[in-house]
């Protein structure tokens, strides 16, 4: 089995675990524990959701590259748009609550979203630049 072929998936997994550890360490000092305990979605749940979505997107992009190298960018935009729609559906319960913890929870959500969007973008660029 060619493990080098799946390096991008491994990168997503390692980046997710590393990001979660750093995120939890930083938010431990910034967000009060009383707020974080009552978040609609805990930080590990957000990381799990976005990691799963990123793994699926990167895997599909790798398969699209094998079949149609010129369509990788379009596939990236399509699946990123789908991920944004799913993220909005997850965000709706957070937006609809008006509690003191809500701004911290929104910030937590968007930090995770942007982190995984950056990972996917970097890996998509690597996939596009590796035209073999």
């Amino acid at each position: 089995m060619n493990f080098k072929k799946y390096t991008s998936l491994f990168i997503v997994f390692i980046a997710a675990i590393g990001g979660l550890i750093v995120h939890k360490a930083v938010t431990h000092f910034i967000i009060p524990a009383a707020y974080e305990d009552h978040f609609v979605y805990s930080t590990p749940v957000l990381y799990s959701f976005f990691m799963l979505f990123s793994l699926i997107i990167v895997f599909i992009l790798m398969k699209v590259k094998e079949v149609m190298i010129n369509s990788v960018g379009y596939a990236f935009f399509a699946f990123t748009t789908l991920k944004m729609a799913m993220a909005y559906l997850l965000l709706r319960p957070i937006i609809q609550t008006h509690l003191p913890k809500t701004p911290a929870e929104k910030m937590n959500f968007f930090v995770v979203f942007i982190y995984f969007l950056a990972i996917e973008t970097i890996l998509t660029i690597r996939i596009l630049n590796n035209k073999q």
Side-chain angles (χ1 to χ4, degrees):
M1 183 173 206
N2 188 3
F3 290 112
K4 187 173 182 168
K5 182 178 176 181
Y6 298 105
T7 304
S8 296
L9 297 175
F10 183 69
I11 290 171
V12 171
F13 184 74
I14 294 300
I17 292 172
L20 176 62
I21 292 168
V22 170
H23 190 127
K24 287 296 281 183
V26 170
T27 57
H28 177 73
F29 297 108
I30 296 174
I31 300 174
Y35 284 5
E36 194 171 3
D37 291 342
H38 297 329
F39 279 178
V40 175
Y41 306 109
S42 68
T43 304
V45 168
L46 288 176
Y47 269 85
S48 299
F49 171 77
F50 284 112
M51 180 186 70
L52 179 67
F53 231 104
S54 292
L55 286 170
I56 291 169
I57 289 172
V58 170
F59 180 76
I60 291 172
L61 292 177
M62 290 170 24
K63 293 301 179 187
V64 168
K65 179 191 171 207
E66 292 174 5
V67 177
M68 301 174 290
I69 185 74
N70 295 330
S71 299
V72 173
Y74 296 120
F76 172 73
F77 286 128
F79 287 107
T80 300
T81 302
L82 178 64
K83 181 179 118 174
M84 289 173 70
M86 295 294 289
Y88 175 73
L89 292 176
L90 280 176
L91 187 62
R92 284 190 67 184
I94 299 170
I95 293 173
Q96 293 173 348
T97 60
H98 299 288
L99 300 171
K101 70 169 180 76
T102 303
E105 189 169 8
K106 287 178 188 176
M107 180 183 68
N108 189 52
F109 186 91
F110 283 114
V111 164
V112 176
F113 178 80
I114 291 169
Y115 178 69
F116 279 98
L117 183 61
I119 292 170
E120 290 169 19
T121 303
I122 291 167
L123 291 175
T124 302
I125 290 168
R126 286 181 62 184
I127 289 170
L128 286 170
N129 285 336
N130 191 11
K131 294 182 180 181
Q132 294 178 8

